[in-house]
Amino acid sequence: MGDWIVKIIESVYNFLWGDLIVLPLPGGGTLPLSLLVIILIPAGLYFTVRTRFLPVRLFPDMVKAVTGKKTKEKGSLSVMQSLIVSTATRVGMGNLVGVVAAISAGGAGAVFWMWVTALIGSSTAFVEATLAQLYKEKDPLYGGFRGGPAYYIHRYFERKSGKKKNHVWLAVLFAVSGLICWCGISQVISNSVASSFENAFHIPPIYTTIVLVIGAAIIVLRKNATVKVLDIMVPIMAVCYFVITIFIIVKNIGSMPAVFGRIFSEAFGLRQVVAGSFGTIVMNGVKRGLFSNEAGSGSAPCAAAAAECDMPVKSGLAQALGVFIDTIVICSCTAMIMLLVPENLVAGKEGMDLLQAAMKFHLGDFGVIFIAATLFMFSFSTFLGILFYARSNVAYLFGDKWCFQTAYKVLALVMLFIGGIAAYTFVWDLGDVGIGLMTIFNIIALYPLAGEALSELKSYEESKKS
């Protein structure tokens, strides 16, 4: 029976993330397209055009949106706090190991396509977060507000049918997919942290895992401790990583023109087209961008809905900025750390070993310790963030009962413990299957509902003029 489950998960994973269509390119190369790329890139382009290139046109407004003050509702988040929660989950292992893998497989040119994907994804993030604000509801358990795709999908189908419903099938599928995804991610988090601490400090994985699980339990099993911890942790970890990267860039400033030259020449290079690797470069950058910034997956709207702001658009603008912070800033930091190392020093290495070798080149033994600590903070904050997201989905499926909220938290902590002591590949696939299914169910709803977010954007821009 167990083998059947594993085979089903792997089959669904390959259907979602495998090469569904392979397009031939000049020079004998190919451009492999997965189902998720086929869904997300056209959606991103469509919303970018419909918002009239919002990420470029309204970038100052995106920054301004996060400075709005929280109002009176007890338990609600400010726009800045909701951005911190979503950044906690966006900025994770993908910004470290994932970027390394993308560059290893697709070369420096993958970085450019990662940037392009982020610009496109910002508009999708804006639309889904604005809708989450429009359809949020009061949260009787935690105080403040809750919402997300399950809620706007539910209300859309209710309105269409003209009948009040307890549950809607598409919203249920989204909520279940989210809970599956976040359980899978819990395992990946602890496994990566335990492995990096073993490499950096020679600490057996069991000890790291126990400390990680106890620390997480103390925070997530308390009523509203998660946001308070993330408020402190996320800005510190992001700023530290950014400052260290700036130091490395300044130290190697003479090499920067060559690095950017390599990124752009390999992104469009004739040599890559002739060699048949152009499609690999594009897809590695695109997939890394989609994995990392999560735009369109429907996870960040669970944080966006919790914000209290005077106009729904402001939460949408903040989440569009979140995509920028994740990919253009944090992922680019990892890319620069990687690309400023002589290639012969990292040849044959991959994943965390490759990143630790790069940091050792730049900062000696301190670099290895720093990257292990960074991975811990990125991963730990991701775990806290996904459990904040899970609140909305658990409440949608099971109602407002503490027993169900606590049961899911305990399940996630168990998965965190298991992942630290053993790596089960199919459970990692489970996380990717979950996020893939969430994306499909969310995008189905975004197209018919997008007009409401665009209408809010129009009202916002008119109020600015007046």
Side-chain angles (χ1 to χ4, degrees):
M1 182 66 184
D3 288 344
W4 277 103
I5 293 169
V6 173
K7 280 177 185 170
I8 289 167
I9 292 166
E10 286 173 353
S11 300
V12 177
Y13 172 83
N14 289 328
F15 175 67
L16 294 170
W17 293 105
D19 300 337
L20 192 66
I21 298 171
V22 180
L23 302 176
L25 292 173
T30 56
L31 183 66
L33 301 173
S34 69
L35 178 63
L36 269 298
V37 169
I38 293 166
I39 287 169
L40 281 167
I41 296 299
L45 289 168
Y46 174 72
F47 296 130
T48 301
V49 172
R50 290 293 308 274
T51 58
R52 291 178 295 126
F53 296 86
L54 175 139
V56 178
R57 196 169 56 83
L58 293 178
F59 188 78
D61 296 66
M62 285 157 56
V63 175
K64 209 184 294 179
V66 301
T67 59
K69 290 179 183 171
K70 189 171 82 165
T71 46
K72 299 164 190 171
E73 186 70 34
K74 193 181 176 187
S76 69
L77 309 188
S78 66
V79 174
M80 171 65 95
Q81 285 176 311
S82 72
L83 175 63
I84 284 171
V85 172
S86 64
T87 302
T89 56
R90 283 193 180 107
V91 176
M93 291 165 305
N95 299 74
L96 300 175
V97 184
V99 174
V100 170
I103 295 171
S104 300
V111 178
F112 174 81
W113 296 106
M114 197 171 68
W115 293 337
V116 171
T117 306
L119 283 171
I120 295 168
S122 289
S123 300
T124 310
F126 166 80
V127 170
E128 61 182 357
T130 304
L131 288 171
Q133 266 291 308
L134 280 168
Y135 289 99
K136 70 185 180 185
E137 54 184 54
K138 290 274 182 79
D139 188 336
L141 280 180
Y142 292 95
F145 300 97
R146 66 166 179 229
Y151 294 81
Y152 58 69
I153 292 169
H154 181 95
R155 297 270 287 279
Y156 171 71
F157 277 96
E158 262 191 352
R159 205 169 56 209
K160 214 174 167 195
S161 68
K163 293 176 188 169
K164 196 88 176 146
K165 294 176 182 285
N166 289 329
H167 290 97
V168 165
W169 65 271
L170 191 63
V172 168
L173 288 173
F174 175 85
V176 170
S177 300
L179 298 182
I180 289 170
C181 167
W182 298 322
C183 267
I185 289 173
S186 300
Q187 271 218 357
V188 182
I189 285 168
S190 53
N191 193 268
S192 300
V193 171
S195 301
S196 72
F197 271 56
E198 191 175 22
N199 288 346
F201 311 113
H202 310 293
I203 299 171
I206 184 69
Y207 298 136
T208 306
T209 305
I210 289 169
V211 171
L212 188 66
V213 172
I214 291 171
I218 289 167
I219 296 164
V220 301
L221 294 175
R222 291 178 64 196
K223 188 177 176 183
N224 279 325
T226 300
V227 175
K228 289 172 187 168
V229 172
L230 291 178
D231 272 352
I232 298 165
M233 193 173 181
V234 173
I236 289 172
M237 73 184 197
V239 169
C240 286
Y241 194 55
F242 183 66
V243 167
I244 286 285
T245 307
I246 295 297
F247 171 74
I248 290 168
I249 288 170
V250 169
K251 198 174 137 195
N252 297 278
I253 198 73
S255 305
M256 287 307 293
V259 167
F260 278 103
R262 196 177 149 202
I263 288 170
F264 288 108
S265 67
E266 289 189 23
F268 298 101
L270 187 65
R271 180 171 62 84
Q272 281 72 31
V273 173
V274 172
S277 59
F278 180 70
T280 306
I281 291 167
V282 175
M283 275 307 102
N284 272 288
V286 168
K287 282 182 180 176
R288 172 48 36 217
L290 295 177
F291 259 125
S292 184
N293 64 53
E294 297 180 7
S297 72
S299 49
C302 299
E308 188 171 5
C309 49
D310 53 352
M311 298 184 87
V313 163
K314 289 185 180 176
S315 192
L317 290 168
Q319 294 306 324
L321 181 67
V323 173
F324 177 89
I325 292 168
D326 171 83
T327 309
I328 307 291
V329 178
I330 305 293
C331 285
S332 296
C333 285
T334 306
M336 294 304 142
I337 289 166
M338 278 279 304
L339 296 173
L340 285 166
V341 180
E343 288 183 62
N344 61 306
L345 291 181
V346 289
K349 290 185 168 65
E350 57 182 36
M352 204 62 204
D353 291 340
L354 178 52
L355 188 56
Q356 287 181 324
M359 286 301 275
K360 189 165 189 176
F361 169 78
H362 292 303
L363 301 170
D365 289 337
F366 170 75
V368 179
I369 294 166
F370 176 79
I371 212 70
T374 301
L375 182 77
F376 171 79
M377 286 201 293
F378 280 17
S379 301
F380 190 68
S381 66
T382 297
F383 182 75
L384 299 183
I386 58 180
L387 282 188
F388 182 91
Y389 289 173
R391 290 179 185 180
S392 297
N393 288 11
V394 170
Y396 179 77
L397 291 171
F398 304 110
D400 296 307
K401 292 187 174 68
W402 276 116
C403 58
F404 292 113
Q405 292 283 349
T406 306
Y408 185 75
K409 288 175 184 176
V410 170
L411 173 63
L413 288 164
V414 169
M415 295 294 268
L416 193 70
F417 180 77
I418 292 169
I421 53 176
Y424 296 104
T425 312
F426 85 93
V427 180
W428 293 26
D429 288 348
L430 194 63
D432 292 336
V433 164
I435 203 165
L437 293 173
M438 285 166 70
T439 304
I440 292 169
F441 304 140
N442 185 42
I443 294 290
I444 288 170
L446 286 190
Y447 280 112
L449 282 167
E452 294 176 46
L454 297 168
S455 176
E456 288 292 324
L457 178 61
K458 191 179 175 186
S459 300
Y460 168 78
E461 295 197 75
E462 282 170 0
S463 72
K464 262 177 63 182
K465 285 176 190 169
S466 62

